[in-house]
Amino acid sequence: MDFFNQVRFLVHKEIILEWRSKYALNGILLYVVSTVFVCYQSFRSLDNNGPVWNALFWIILLFASLNAITKSFVQESRGRQLYYYTLVSPQAVILSKIIYNVLLMLLLSCVAYFAYSTIFRNEVGDPLLYFVSIIMGSISFACVFTMVSGISVKANSSGTLMAILSFPIIIPLLLLLIKLSKNAMDGLDRSVSYDELGVLVAINVIVVSVSLLLFPYLWRD
């Protein structure tokens, strides 16, 4: 089986397992909707307060992605990992995890944005650019948290290590995403946001490349 068929097979396996159980997906969707509802009970209205509306949305999405993606490697037993070791390459494993988590995050982001924008109505000057920022944010969160989850699962205190490793990468990403989406809310010319888009693409490429290079060494342990 060549590399791309391995990736396709593993992504299909992840989707089938998720579809059979649905516990994780339903739990994360419940988390997103309940968080938006709690924010509504706390703030009641965010009309004409674009910066707070925007920042609160990304905070909700950040913690939703953290809960969704940390299970990527935690739920894999050592026996199952050994079985994968005999069948596929480590690069195919990590790339399939990233692709699956990107798809999962795109679904969660759309649900979160729909629920959030329905409860807290706010004018967005450039809806298309704002949607692009959501897509870029979903891809960025999925790539970073998948890589960090693969590293931290090898440690005994994986939760603590994941928080420590994620912090230096996630904070700059979050600031870029907030700035990009704020430009979209203000309806600024799209050329103003090209720098943020370029940096986000570069970070995602670097994270995926580092994951493909480092994961084989973790896999051997």
Side-chain angles (χ1 to χ4, degrees):
M1 189 184 301
D2 61 33
F3 178 77
F4 292 104
N5 282 330
Q6 291 177 10
V7 173
R8 182 178 58 82
F9 172 79
L10 290 170
V11 172
H12 183 259
K13 182 266 299 180
E14 294 282 349
I15 295 173
I16 292 296
L17 291 178
E18 187 67 55
W19 183 254
R20 284 179 179 176
S21 65
K22 298 189 182 72
Y23 295 118
L25 180 59
N26 291 336
I28 296 163
L29 290 175
L30 177 63
Y31 170 83
V32 169
V33 175
S34 60
T35 303
V36 172
F37 179 74
V38 169
C39 291
Y40 171 72
Q41 293 296 321
S42 302
F43 298 102
R44 290 295 179 180
S45 177
L46 291 175
D47 295 341
N48 301 319
N49 200 342
V52 176
W53 185 92
N54 187 44
L56 186 59
F57 171 72
W58 284 110
I59 291 172
I60 293 172
L61 205 58
L62 172 64
F63 285 102
S65 63
L66 184 62
N67 288 330
I69 298 173
T70 48
K71 65 181 180 62
S72 294
F73 290 95
V74 175
Q75 66 182 2
E76 301 281 5
S77 64
R78 295 186 66 86
R80 185 183 296 180
Q81 291 181 18
L82 180 62
Y83 177 65
Y84 291 158
Y85 185 81
T86 62
L87 295 178
V88 296
S89 68
Q91 289 88 354
V93 172
I94 188 64
L95 188 58
S96 66
K97 293 281 187 183
I98 291 174
I99 293 173
Y100 170 74
N101 286 329
V102 166
L103 296 175
L104 179 62
M105 278 306 305
L106 289 173
L107 174 62
L108 291 178
S109 300
C110 291
V111 171
Y113 180 70
F114 175 77
Y116 189 71
S117 60
T118 300
I119 294 176
F120 297 113
R121 296 187 179 276
N122 210 307
E123 285 293 328
V124 177
D126 191 343
L128 179 59
L129 182 59
Y130 199 89
F131 187 69
V132 169
S133 72
I134 293 175
I135 293 175
M136 292 300 299
S138 302
I139 295 172
S140 300
F141 289 155
C143 292
V144 170
F145 284 133
T146 303
M147 180 190 71
V148 176
S149 177
I151 295 173
S152 62
V153 77
K154 296 298 182 180
N156 293 328
S157 55
S158 58
T160 304
L161 185 60
M162 184 162 185
I164 294 172
L165 293 176
S166 301
F167 186 80
I169 309 174
I170 284 299
I171 295 303
L173 268 177
L174 199 57
L175 293 176
L176 279 170
L177 290 168
I178 290 174
K179 184 176 180 182
L180 176 62
S181 53
K182 182 63 169 57
N183 292 344
M185 291 191 68
D186 294 340
L188 300 181
D189 189 88
R190 293 178 184 175
S191 61
V192 176
S193 304
Y194 287 165
D195 289 342
E196 286 78 15
L197 286 170
V199 174
L200 287 170
V201 171
I203 291 175
N204 290 333
V205 171
I206 292 171
V207 170
V208 173
S209 302
V210 170
S211 301
L212 294 174
L213 289 174
L214 291 182
F215 189 71
Y217 296 99
L218 298 172
W219 180 269
R220 294 172 188 171
D221 296 334

